[in-house]
Amino acid sequence: MEKSVQPSERGAGDSSSASASASSSKAVEIPTVAQVIETQAKSASASGGSSVSGPPGSLPHPGFTLFKQGAEARLYRGTFLGKPTVLKERFSKKYRHPRLDEKLTTKRTQGEARTVARARKAGIPTPCIYFVNYQSNCIYMEDMQSATTSRDYIVAVQSIHAGDSFGALQPIMDKIGKTLATMHDGDIIHGDLTTSNIMLKQDATMPEPQVILIDFGLSSVSQLPEDKGVDLYVLEKAFLSTHPNTETLFRVILKSYTKHSRKAKDVIKKLDEVRLRGRKRTMVG
């Protein structure tokens, strides 16, 4: 004999199904830049801060802690003149002749400091330089607190909900394109554009995140559209290799760049030529 279903049972089942359906269709919240920064700060605090061991013979800096080792420089974090500071030490290369090494290292330290000053004068947000020691080739600069790399933010958004990432990241890409347009209109070539060298800053006092450019160690000054096109090509290759399947996001950067740069037409034309040369090199091997 078939069991009859009581109205109360039917109602309970329908209610449960409706609740599950509503829960599954609920949109995943996309984190803001400020939320990603807060999460990173809590993670660093829980782990006791991040630091790495320096190689034997590295120059000691009392009160500073080494937190990053690169191919060209070491980065330390500490306090200088009562302000949170990042100390960038450009070290010597043992494979180069000592006199040549000293000349190149000092020249690059001077060039980076001058380019940062030029960029700030042009209205490009960069860390403020407090002091440059040319004897030790050290640059003392502002520690960009309440900031994260655009690389980490893109990864954080995509890891939560890849389907909604374009809409969430589009405003950031637009800001990046505008900042790069300002930089190139000031005839500044970054030389090493990656999403790790483009930072996003936001705190409780900022309704929108701010784009900040860092690491001008390979920078130069040039009016040539060719150099600016190569700069964008370097970013494109780094962007797409770090963040696969994000061609639409990079197109937003170029669209914003074209909109805000006075010299965009010639630069984009050169970018297309550089792309073509790159494809030919890849085909030839």
Side-chain angles (χ1 to χ4, degrees):
M1 182 175 182
E2 186 179 353
K3 182 180 178 182
S4 61
V5 180
Q6 298 297 324
S8 60
E9 293 178 356
R10 185 183 296 111
D14 291 345
S15 175
S16 176
S17 299
S19 175
S21 176
S23 176
S24 63
S25 62
K26 184 179 180 181
V28 178
E29 182 182 354
I30 300 297
T32 64
V33 173
Q35 288 172 334
V36 171
I37 293 170
E38 183 180 1
T39 301
Q40 290 177 335
K42 289 179 179 178
S43 177
S45 178
S47 63
S50 58
S51 62
V52 296
S53 300
S58 62
L59 183 65
H61 301 283
F64 283 82
T65 303
L66 178 68
F67 72 93
K68 186 174 182 181
Q69 167 78 54
E72 296 289 333
R74 304 184 187 102
L75 296 179
Y76 299 80
R77 195 169 258 133
T79 303
F80 180 73
L81 299 177
K83 299 178 180 179
T85 302
V86 168
L87 187 159
K88 181 174 183 178
E89 173 200 356
R90 193 179 291 276
F91 50 83
S92 62
K93 301 294 184 66
K94 302 302 181 183
Y95 59 82
R96 291 195 297 229
H97 188 281
R99 294 174 69 177
L100 175 62
D101 178 75
E102 181 181 2
K103 183 177 180 179
L104 287 175
T105 305
T106 301
K107 182 179 180 180
R108 288 178 179 174
T109 302
Q110 291 174 337
E112 180 170 6
R114 288 172 180 169
T115 304
V116 170
R118 183 185 179 109
R120 289 179 66 85
K121 187 176 181 180
I124 304 165
T126 64
C128 178
I129 292 182
Y130 299 139
F131 177 71
V132 182
N133 187 334
Y134 290 115
Q135 291 185 330
S136 60
N137 291 303
C138 290
I139 300 177
Y140 294 73
M141 67 186 78
E142 177 185 4
D143 188 353
M144 302 307 300
Q145 298 179 321
S146 299
T148 185
T149 64
S150 57
R151 175 188 185 277
D152 287 347
Y153 181 65
I154 293 171
V155 170
V157 171
Q158 290 183 325
S159 66
I160 292 176
H161 203 309
D164 290 345
S165 62
F166 178 81
L169 293 171
Q170 187 175 3
I172 300 295
M173 300 302 108
D174 185 75
K175 288 178 179 290
I176 290 175
K178 183 178 180 180
T179 302
L180 298 182
T182 303
M183 180 182 71
H184 282 173
D185 281 0
D187 296 329
I188 298 170
I189 310 300
H190 187 279
D192 189 22
L193 283 175
T194 66
T195 50
S196 294
N197 289 335
I198 302 174
M199 300 197 73
L200 304 173
K201 180 177 181 179
Q202 187 176 31
D203 55 31
T205 65
M206 303 170 64
E208 294 185 355
Q210 180 185 39
V211 174
I212 299 171
L213 300 183
I214 64 171
D215 196 359
F216 286 81
L218 298 177
S219 63
S220 60
V221 176
S222 173
Q223 297 180 351
L224 298 177
E226 169 87 10
D227 293 335
K228 298 171 185 178
V230 170
D231 219 20
L232 293 178
Y233 181 71
V234 170
L235 175 61
E236 181 178 35
K237 297 293 287 185
F239 191 99
L240 298 181
S241 62
T242 306
H243 313 285
N245 304 316
T246 54
E247 289 83 0
T248 53
L249 286 177
F250 189 77
R251 283 198 288 270
V252 174
I253 294 178
L254 290 184
K255 183 177 180 180
S256 176
Y257 180 94
T258 303
K259 177 181 177 182
H260 294 100
S261 173
R262 303 187 308 271
K263 311 172 183 178
K265 184 177 180 180
D266 292 337
V267 175
I268 298 300
K269 181 179 178 181
K270 287 296 181 181
L271 170 61
D272 291 336
E273 293 178 5
V274 173
R275 283 169 170 166
L276 183 60
R277 294 202 298 266
R279 284 195 292 271
K280 286 183 177 178
R281 282 197 296 267
T282 302
M283 291 172 62
V284 173

